[in-house]
Amino acid sequence: MASPLHAVPHEILSNIAIFLANITPYSPPTDLLALQATDRCIHNALNPHSAPSVWAAAFRFRFDDAAVLRRNFHPNGRDYADQLRQYSETLAAVRTLNVLRDDMDEVMRNVYTMLLDNNGKNRAQLEANDADRFMDIFVRTRLWAQAHVHEGWPDAGCTNTYALWNLWFLTTLDKLRGEVRAHREHLVALILPYVLNPYRYHQAEAPPSHFHLPLPTHQGNIVFPHSLPSAHGPYPVYVDPQPIALPYFGAMPQFSPPPITAAAKLLYFARREVIPLDIPPHLPRTRAEAPPASEPQPTQEDLVEINNHRGAEPPLRVTWDWESDRKLVNGIPTNPQSNFDDSTRWDADYWRRRFCGNAWQSQPKWRPGKVYIPGSMDGLWQGRLVFPNEAAMRNLVEHAPYPQLQNFNETSLRLTHQPLFMRLKEYHAVSTNPSVPLPPTSSHLNSAAAAAANDDLSEWSDLSMRNAWFPGGPGNVSFINHRHPPRNSLLYSPPGHARNILVTVDEAYRHEGCENCEMCREREALVRKGMELDQADQECISEAYSEDCMSIERMFESVGLGRDQVGPDEEEESGMDEDEDFVGGDADVEVGGVLEEEAKEELEFLDDPNADADCQNPPTRPVRRGTDRARVEQCDGVRDIIFSGTTDRRHALAWNDHTFYGRVRPWDGLIGILRLSNWPRPNPVFFYGYLVGDETFVGNWRFAALDPNIPAWESAFVMSRRVDDEGNDDD
């Protein structure tokens, strides 16, 4: 006997299914699954291919999808169903608080992905399932589990890496303030090796001694250059390529773990900044009361300023309230009319995970997203650096085994904290031929065979790291204003300056696109081609899923169990119209400017070796690309990004007067800044690191005059942007 539900129109049946799927946000859609189980016809009518809007609604009710829509593609029904299952299984694993699972790597990676994509719902789900407690238990009990195979040092593998990053994502100021001192000191001791041993753990996606990437291969094999090895292994520390396939909305993109050291530094500094600096009563209260001095002298108000700002500011706690259907930021409801997607602040971090796991892998000229957002470093930055004893660091370089806790702590390393201020101005080169000199291309980039035969690092790296990736020695860069720059030029170096680079700056120029921009025309042609290829992939996937459904139906018909009425597939078009965003397509891809077809022989799109849209590897189901080809970063005309900066006068009087200049490494968005000072003696310091979450600058410093190819005196720093309306009071 046919079920009465067979007579229900598909649109109404879908609405019933959506209602059942969205009863409670904190559990899988069990009522929807129960409805599907009533009989085969209803099951087929509500499967992800026949009813994509149902599974899209079930996912979107519980989790966030704005990030995948913006960065990658429009998932179809099966994509949403797969991700719903994956996230539900991850939450179930977290809820057990069992940190001895065999699949810990997968669980940690999925939590990290959820937090990168978070727009409120993902974090709310994780918090409801005790994710912060799960991470804390793992870090305190399992972080050092493999130390016995690493000469006593904690492992820097994927599971540990994602665990520390997840712990940082879930950190809040209230948790830091409420942390018991013994627990705080225990965590600091656990993560301190990652913070203070740059000779064992990598500090960047590729060593900062390289400006030009990728590195060469020889006959398909990776060649690791190295200098004289330290006791901890070759230095600089290169990352063995380890991107793995990440199941993500029906795709399998390559995804690499971020540097564990950055997460450790953020966790460390956040806990040290909870403890305010002591304010000696003998210091002058204000600058006005301070006597004239020939050297920097802080006042009480300067120390108060340090205590009032955090270099390692915890990420915003963005959650969701299902009762009011509103986003909460640090517990405060947002304007319901606001459509701001908080996951955008993590876009550059996400793309580094997609692009930068292999320093030997070629990248297309046009990538789907940016690893550095132009304009991000403009403004006033404040934080602190740690300064270990030089003899203690030299001893660390020379001895591989972990020196045990009593010999590796802040006291034994004589660690001191120093305030750090930078007011930076960012400049963009937008001319067709940017003329601020780049570091010279190393010989290895022209001859991979020669590189394989010669692993001398001096042939691989550019020594310009000592000058923040400008040619020449430290301190030879000058910044001046030029009122009449050449057309379409922000930055240029006039000829005849053999020893000093003269950088001229016009702050008024902006890229207006697109009519006269060669880059815009090139991008538009690529987008058009990508749309055609994406459409062909989408048709292959739809055809494969349709054939899959038909083969199941033929199997039932062969034993006399065929459908007794027309199936719901004929109703699909109306369901898709109602929720067309969930089915795929590229109608919303913006294409601007005038198309001008250009013949290009080079590889144009991001490599995706796991994509299999036309099912060339049966019996597996189709695997879509990790990002649509037509998702190409917008053209802003920027070819090069450099910085200049100073120390505001009030900070110079307290902490020393500095000038700064630097550059962005285009391959991964690594920021390199040289700090110059004249007191007590000229001593250039090179800072390098990444922006995390678009607001925190974290990395390492080292003395710039030293050879970048050998272990040197260096350590950690962190800074965050300050909201400051005063401007540069030196002007």
Side-chain angles (χ1 to χ4, degrees):
M1 179 177 178
S3 168
L5 289 175
H6 293 184
V8 176
H10 183 256
E11 182 178 354
I12 296 177
L13 182 64
S14 295
N15 288 337
I16 294 172
I18 291 173
F19 174 79
L20 292 174
N22 297 348
I23 292 177
T24 174
Y26 294 114
S27 65
T30 52
D31 292 321
L32 169 60
L33 299 177
L35 176 62
Q36 271 195 298
T38 54
D39 65 26
R40 183 174 58 83
C41 185
I42 299 300
H43 183 276
N44 290 341
L46 295 177
N47 71 38
H49 181 65
S50 300
S53 61
V54 171
W55 293 94
F59 181 90
R60 298 181 74 178
F61 177 64
R62 293 166 174 80
F63 303 104
D64 298 306
D65 70 341
V68 66
L69 293 172
R70 183 183 66 257
R71 298 170 183 156
N72 305 108
F73 49 76
H74 286 231
N76 59 38
R78 283 183 183 259
D79 300 337
Y80 277 114
D82 286 349
Q83 202 65 17
L84 177 61
R85 182 186 306 109
Q86 180 176 320
Y87 281 176
S88 297
E89 291 174 352
T90 297
L91 292 176
V94 169
R95 192 163 53 247
T96 66
L97 300 180
N98 177 11
V99 297
L100 299 176
R101 300 172 58 94
D102 293 334
D103 60 348
M104 281 299 296
D105 186 30
E106 180 181 351
V107 171
M108 290 294 187
R109 186 177 64 247
N110 287 341
V111 172
Y112 177 76
T113 306
M114 292 177 70
L115 291 168
L116 280 183
D117 290 1
N118 179 55
N119 196 28
K121 295 178 181 178
N122 287 2
R123 177 161 183 163
Q125 292 281 4
L126 289 167
E127 289 186 357
N129 287 275
D130 279 344
D132 52 346
R133 187 179 172 198
F134 180 80
M135 300 303 159
D136 188 72
I137 292 173
F138 177 87
V139 169
R140 294 182 187 278
T141 62
R142 303 297 299 166
L143 194 70
W144 286 62
Q146 297 299 313
H148 61 283
V149 298
H150 297 285
E151 299 175 300
W153 296 89
D155 179 33
C158 293
T159 306
N160 281 2
T161 297
Y162 290 124
L164 289 190
W165 275 104
N166 293 338
L167 191 62
W168 168 248
F169 269 109
L170 296 169
T171 297
T172 66
L173 191 55
D174 288 340
K175 291 178 184 176
L176 291 172
R177 288 171 174 165
E179 196 170 32
V180 177
R181 179 179 178 180
H183 286 186
R184 180 172 64 239
E185 297 307 314
H186 180 219
L187 182 63
V188 166
L190 291 172
I191 63 177
L192 203 60
Y194 302 119
V195 179
L196 297 178
N197 191 349
Y199 319 114
R200 176 173 288 269
Y201 304 107
H202 67 278
Q203 308 296 311
E205 309 289 351
S209 53
H210 300 283
F211 185 82
H212 300 284
L213 292 160
L215 299 172
T217 59
H218 178 57
Q219 297 179 351
N221 298 318
I222 290 174
V223 182
F224 279 93
H226 60 83
S227 63
L228 294 176
S230 73
H232 298 275
Y235 184 91
V237 182
Y238 289 83
V239 185
D240 193 6
Q242 51 183 332
I244 65 170
L246 170 72
Y248 188 69
F249 290 94
M252 298 286 286
Q254 290 188 322
F255 198 84
S256 64
I260 192 172
T261 51
K265 291 166 193 171
L266 291 167
L267 291 167
Y268 167 77
F269 280 110
R271 279 158 177 79
R272 286 298 171 249
E273 289 177 329
V274 168
I275 307 170
L277 298 178
D278 291 331
I279 302 178
H282 68 274
L283 292 180
R285 288 189 307 109
T286 65
R287 180 59 53 192
E289 296 179 5
S294 59
E295 59 187 56
Q297 293 289 346
T299 64
Q300 292 187 33
E301 67 177 357
D302 294 320
L303 293 171
V304 169
E305 182 182 21
I306 296 296
N307 290 334
N308 287 342
H309 180 81
R310 296 180 174 277
E313 185 72 30
L316 293 177
R317 179 174 173 259
V318 182
T319 56
W320 193 267
D321 179 18
W322 275 271
E323 290 188 6
S324 62
D325 197 31
R326 293 174 68 179
K327 184 193 303 183
L328 308 178
V329 177
N330 292 336
I332 301 174
T334 60
N335 186 341
Q337 304 301 321
S338 173
N339 294 320
F340 179 71
D341 179 5
D342 283 273
S343 66
T344 56
R345 71 181 73 250
W346 302 104
D347 281 355
D349 301 81
Y350 169 83
W351 289 119
R352 273 197 291 274
R353 308 283 48 84
R354 290 287 308 279
F355 301 152
C356 305
N358 186 343
W360 290 262
Q361 185 175 23
S362 296
Q363 297 285 341
K365 177 179 178 180
W366 291 95
R367 300 195 285 193
K370 296 181 181 298
V371 292
Y372 177 85
I373 308 302
S376 296
M377 290 298 290
D378 247 355
L380 178 61
W381 294 80
Q382 179 182 334
R384 60 176 69 184
L385 58 81
V386 289
F387 203 85
N389 176 264
E390 183 179 12
M393 297 302 286
R394 187 183 303 114
N395 184 66
L396 182 63
V397 173
E398 296 171 351
H399 298 86
Y402 178 71
Q404 301 307 317
L405 183 60
Q406 63 271 21
N407 296 318
F408 190 86
N409 55 54
E410 292 165 289
T411 301
S412 65
L413 296 174
R414 302 182 202 173
L415 209 64
T416 59
H417 287 229
Q418 293 185 1
L420 192 56
F421 290 89
M422 298 182 188
R423 184 177 292 280
L424 299 175
K425 181 65 178 176
E426 182 173 311
Y427 303 105
H428 303 156
V430 295
S431 61
T432 302
N433 297 303
S435 51
V436 173
L438 292 170
T441 303
S442 302
S443 61
H444 75 271
L445 293 176
N446 300 320
S447 175
N454 178 16
D455 63 2
D456 180 3
L457 194 64
S458 64
E459 295 296 324
W460 284 67
S461 61
D462 47 69
L463 300 181
S464 67
M465 175 185 126
R466 295 180 296 185
N467 197 30
W469 301 317
F470 289 91
N476 74 332
V477 176
S478 302
F479 284 76
I480 66 170
N481 279 320
H482 187 79
R483 296 185 178 181
H484 303 287
R487 179 176 175 80
N488 289 341
S489 177
L490 249 177
L491 310 172
Y492 76 106
S493 179
H497 291 264
R499 305 183 70 177
N500 288 327
I501 299 171
L502 182 63
V503 176
T504 63
V505 178
D506 169 41
E507 301 181 18
Y509 185 85
R510 294 293 182 271
H511 174 69
E512 302 294 344
C514 288
E515 183 176 348
N516 297 317
C517 178
E518 179 182 347
M519 294 173 65
C520 287
R521 294 194 296 268
E522 179 183 324
R523 174 191 178 276
E524 181 179 349
L526 191 66
V527 169
R528 299 266 183 163
K529 181 176 181 180
M531 292 176 68
E532 294 175 1
L533 295 172
D534 290 338
Q535 182 61 34
D537 281 356
Q538 183 65 29
E539 292 172 359
C540 286
I541 292 173
S542 297
E543 183 179 349
Y545 286 149
S546 298
E547 179 61 28
D548 186 35
C549 293
M550 292 174 64
S551 64
I552 295 174
E553 179 63 24
R554 286 194 295 268
M555 180 183 67
F556 278 100
E557 288 177 349
S558 66
V559 293
L561 296 175
R563 293 188 181 188
D564 55 3
Q565 65 175 59
V566 176
D569 290 324
E570 295 178 1
E571 303 283 343
E572 179 64 19
E573 184 175 354
S574 61
M576 290 167 61
D577 290 341
E578 179 180 325
D579 227 330
E580 62 183 3
D581 281 350
F582 306 142
V583 188
D586 299 286
D588 65 333
V589 177
E590 296 181 5
V591 181
V594 180
L595 177 64
E596 191 171 290
E597 196 65 34
E598 297 179 14
K600 298 288 183 184
E601 297 297 327
E602 61 187 14
L603 183 65
E604 297 164 305
F605 302 104
L606 186 67
D607 187 34
D608 196 342
N610 300 311
D612 185 25
D614 51 359
C615 287
Q616 294 296 314
N617 299 305
T620 60
R621 53 173 289 183
V623 179
R624 70 183 308 150
R625 288 180 59 85
T627 302
D628 283 345
R629 297 177 185 86
R631 300 295 177 100
V632 177
E633 60 181 316
Q634 292 292 330
C635 176
D636 52 16
V638 175
R639 296 291 189 95
D640 186 26
I641 300 175
I642 68 172
F643 314 105
S644 68
T646 59
T647 306
D648 286 358
R649 178 171 174 77
R650 66 182 187 276
H651 300 140
L653 291 173
W655 312 111
N656 206 354
D657 191 14
H658 303 290
T659 58
F660 308 92
Y661 60 81
R663 204 167 210 147
V664 174
R665 185 167 71 180
W667 180 73
D668 61 345
L670 184 68
I671 299 165
I673 295 176
L674 190 72
R675 185 180 77 175
L676 302 169
S677 59
N678 292 317
W679 185 91
R681 59 187 179 275
N683 201 359
V685 176
F686 180 62
F687 293 82
Y688 65 96
Y690 296 101
L691 274 183
V692 174
D694 198 32
E695 290 292 332
T696 306
F697 181 28
V698 60
N700 261 31
W701 61 266
R702 60 174 283 151
F703 288 111
L706 302 175
D707 188 336
N709 301 326
I710 63 174
W713 193 6
E714 69 173 281
S715 199
F717 77 89
V718 70
M719 306 183 78
S720 62
R721 190 193 314 277
R722 270 188 52 172
V723 178
D724 185 279
D725 297 327
E726 295 181 18
N728 190 338
D729 54 11
D730 291 335
D731 293 342

